[in-house]
Structures are given as structure tokens and as C-alpha cells.
Amino acid sequence: MTSEEHFDRILREYGPALRRLASSYERNAAAREDLLQEILLAVWRALPRFRGECSEKTFVFRIAHNRAITHCFRGGCQTTDIESAAEVSDPRPTPEYEASMSQRREHLLAALHSLPVATRQILGLALEGLSRAELAEVLGITENAATVRLSRARAALKRQLDMREGAIR
Amino acid sequence: MTTDPEWQWLSDLWASDSEDDAVRLRKMVNRSRFRLAVGQTGEALVLAGLGALTVVGVQRGLTGFGQLWLATCWAFAIIASALSLWNQRGMWKPLGSSTTEYLRVFREHCRRARRNVRLAIGLYIAEVIVIVAELALFHRLTGGAILALAALGVPLGAWAVATERRVRREAESAAAFEGE
């Protein structure tokens, strides 16, 4: 498999996850596309150096999250009030749409955007289904520390979602 | 990972946004790669331009001030590149490493960026001293020349201030992230 074929497979396998990841950090649509583009380029550039020291999944998520937090350090990823975030990100508040999965995802995203970046990071990884061991590997902390941080992050997310009572359920 | 039904529901909801847009993503990467190539070509062209200027100058038999001027340009270009490389040594950002390791390198990157500003200012001062000395040696030191040299300091100063602010902001954001 050539490196380009390898990258195409990565795009097919992790593309949707990377897009979701970018949306968990960046609320603004244009900035989100820019962030996604930066992440994809970073993955493409780093891929030839992948020597299998960790799983491919861990490697891709490490690059993506490290690139995303750099984006945040440079002024992106503003934390927003959950109510205003939900108002702005929902341009079609029809009754049918209210009930759709898309609407519910918007509420979940709004809740994520109201949390600190480090909390968003661990939640984004956990929502992608990473195990505690994988979380620890991506973040560079012990499994116990990852468990504690995830537990706090989930509680924080729940509090934010409860503020929009009934929106996510 | 969990048996918590509420969390499972959220995970499923999160993963339900799974539009397969590999073709669009591939186009995004190709656009980035094109811009990267354009930037690299631009840098190569600047270097080629300086090389061509040198060749033309040598062929035309530059003497005295012309030779010294060309040598000064090359010397400072080489010094600037060497300082830049020295300041970047070991600074390859390990994007594929853990967040903890990445943050350590990011802090170091901020420290080096500040040092880079000081190096650039130091180099500018050295250039001004050398060029003024050369101009004086060849009796070409005029008010206009001094003004032109001083004017070069304006964009440098603006860049230095902007970089300092940006790096401080980034370092503060990184520290806040670590404290979360």
C-alpha cells in the first residue's frame, strides 16, 4: 500500500471522527473547516513517521487533538454560554426538526462548547469510543488519572445538558 | 467502554453524525498541499533570485562597494539562517506524541519564539552597524541611507511586538489548559 493509499484509508476510516472532533472544539463553521483542514494536513505530514509505537487510532487522535489544542491556544475554541450556543447553532427550529437527531446533536455540541478545552478533549475522545487505556495513551497520563478526569468531565457535561432539560433524551 | 445507558446514548448520538465525506476531505488536503508547495516554491525563488543577482554581479565584474555589498547580503542571509536553525534545533513538534509531551514542547516553542524575536532585533542592529560602517568607508553615508535603514526597523519592531503578544497569549492559554 502506497502512502497515498494509506492516507486515503485513514480518511475513510477516521474522516467522520476527525470532522466530529473539529466540531467539538470549534463552533464557528468557517473556523471549523480551517481546523479540519489543518488536522488533515498534519495527519498527512505525520503519517510517514508512524512506526507503530502505538495503535494507528491513537496516533491519528493524538495528532488531531494536539493540532486542535494549538488552534485553541491561538485564539480559537471560545467557550460559549450553553444557551447562546444552542440558539446560534440552530437556524431551523421547526417542530419536526426539534425532534431530529441533528437537533439533539446540536444540543450536545452546544453543551461541549460551554466546557473548558481540556474537558472537551477528553469527552471528545471518550465519545469516539476510546477505552481508558487509549485515553491515557493519547493524553500521556495514567489510566487512573484518565478515569478520574473522564468522570469529572462526564459530570460537567451532564450538568450542562441538564441546563437544557429534556433537550437530550 | 461503559454500561451507563445515558453515556451510551450520548456516544451513539455523537457517532450518528457519520457522513462519509472522504472525497471532500481528500480535496481539502490537496488544497493545503498545493498552498504548501506554493510557499516552498516562493522561498526557493527568493533564494534563486539572490543567487542570480550574485552571478550577474560577478559576471559584470563588481568592484569595491558592489562586492562588499553582495558579500554583506550573503553573510547576513547565512547568519540569519544559521541562527534560525540553531534556535529551532530539537523543536520538531511531536504532533504524534501524547498531549502531556506535546504541551512540554509547546512551552519550549513559546520560549524559543521569544528568543527568535531578540535574535532578529540583535541581527538588525548588527546589520545597521555593518552597513553604516561600509557606507562610511565608501563615502556613501547620506541622510537618505540612514533614514532607509531606520525605516527597515519599523516593520521589524511591529513584528516583534505582535509576536511577543501572540506568544504570551498562546503561553497563557497553554498554562490555562494545563490548569483545567
Side-chain angles (χ1 to χ4, degrees):
Chain A
M1 186 187 286
T2 67
S3 61
E4 291 300 316
E5 286 168 347
H6 186 193
F7 183 64
D8 281 333
R9 186 181 60 71
I10 296 271
L11 284 182
R12 281 193 303 275
E13 203 163 320
Y14 301 105
L18 294 177
R19 192 166 41 72
R20 289 192 293 265
L21 182 151
S23 69
S24 73
Y25 280 97
E26 186 52 74
R27 186 177 146 223
N28 177 279
R32 194 162 57 226
E33 284 291 291
D34 289 343
L35 173 59
L36 180 58
Q37 197 159 355
E38 286 174 28
I39 289 171
L40 294 172
L41 187 65
V43 171
W44 175 73
R45 293 177 85 168
L47 213 51
R49 291 191 295 271
F50 178 57
R51 297 283 176 269
E53 298 93 347
C54 57
S55 73
E56 186 180 82
K57 184 180 178 184
T58 302
F59 184 72
V60 170
F61 277 107
R62 275 177 170 180
I63 293 167
H65 279 271
N66 287 338
R67 196 67 206 79
I69 61 173
T70 310
H71 171 81
C72 298
F73 297 161
R74 289 180 179 158
C77 321
Q78 297 300 313
T79 303
T80 51
D81 170 72
I82 183 164
E83 283 167 13
S84 64
E87 280 163 20
V88 174
S89 57
D90 172 22
R92 295 167 291 174
T94 60
E96 295 82 11
Y97 190 73
E98 284 284 333
S100 72
M101 291 292 273
S102 179
Q103 173 74 4
R104 292 169 184 208
R105 276 198 305 266
E106 287 294 326
H107 285 295
L108 175 56
L109 272 176
L112 279 171
H113 291 154
S114 66
L115 295 169
V117 175
T119 310
R120 280 185 234 177
Q121 184 187 35
I122 195 160
L123 285 171
L125 289 164
L127 285 168
E128 287 298 338
L130 268 73
S131 68
R132 282 178 172 71
E134 286 171 325
L135 286 178
E137 211 177 353
V138 170
L139 300 175
I141 55 178
T142 63
E143 235 178 286
N144 280 344
T147 305
V148 171
R149 274 173 66 173
L150 179 59
S151 169
R152 285 183 190 149
R154 280 170 57 169
L157 178 65
K158 188 174 185 318
R159 275 196 300 277
Q160 292 300 320
L161 290 172
D162 286 345
M163 283 172 65
R164 304 278 303 175
E165 198 179 349
I168 294 261
R169 257 187 223 263
Chain B
M1 180 174 171
T2 178
T3 50
D4 178 351
E6 189 172 13
W7 179 256
Q8 191 56 53
W9 191 88
L10 284 174
S11 296
D12 293 344
L13 177 66
W14 181 252
S16 67
D17 177 17
S18 58
E19 180 193 348
D20 180 14
D21 49 4
V23 175
R24 187 180 73 88
L25 297 181
R26 174 45 106 164
K27 280 180 183 166
M28 283 174 91
V29 177
N30 290 344
R31 275 200 300 273
S32 301
R33 286 168 65 176
F34 177 73
R35 278 201 291 269
L36 206 65
V38 167
Q40 285 166 346
T41 307
E43 285 171 16
L45 284 176
V46 168
L47 196 66
L50 193 59
L53 207 65
T54 306
V55 170
V56 169
V58 169
Q59 280 176 345
R60 286 186 180 174
L62 279 181
T63 54
F65 182 73
Q67 283 181 342
L68 190 62
W69 181 253
L70 207 55
T72 305
C73 282
W74 272 108
F76 277 110
I78 290 167
I79 291 169
S81 303
L83 284 175
S84 175
L85 285 174
W86 170 74
N87 199 35
Q88 286 173 34
R89 71 198 188 289
M91 284 306 298
W92 169 70
K93 273 192 184 175
L95 276 172
S97 64
S98 71
T99 302
T100 306
E101 172 62 9
Y102 181 73
L103 285 171
R104 187 192 64 73
V105 177
F106 190 84
R107 276 196 303 274
E108 181 60 16
H109 177 79
C110 290
R111 199 178 69 78
R112 299 277 184 98
R114 284 187 168 132
R115 186 164 68 184
N116 201 37
V117 169
R118 291 196 296 275
L119 286 173
I121 292 171
L123 196 63
Y124 169 69
I125 292 169
E127 279 171 3
V128 168
I129 291 169
V130 169
I131 293 170
V132 165
E134 287 176 359
L135 290 171
L137 190 68
F138 286 86
H139 308 292
R140 292 182 181 215
L141 189 60
T142 61
I146 292 172
L147 202 66
L149 283 171
L152 287 175
V154 176
L156 177 71
W159 168 79
V161 170
T163 305
E164 275 288 339
R165 282 186 184 163
R166 177 181 57 78
V167 171
R168 191 171 58 234
R169 203 172 47 240
E170 287 180 12
E172 283 169 2
S173 299
F177 176 86
E178 286 182 279
E180 280 171 5

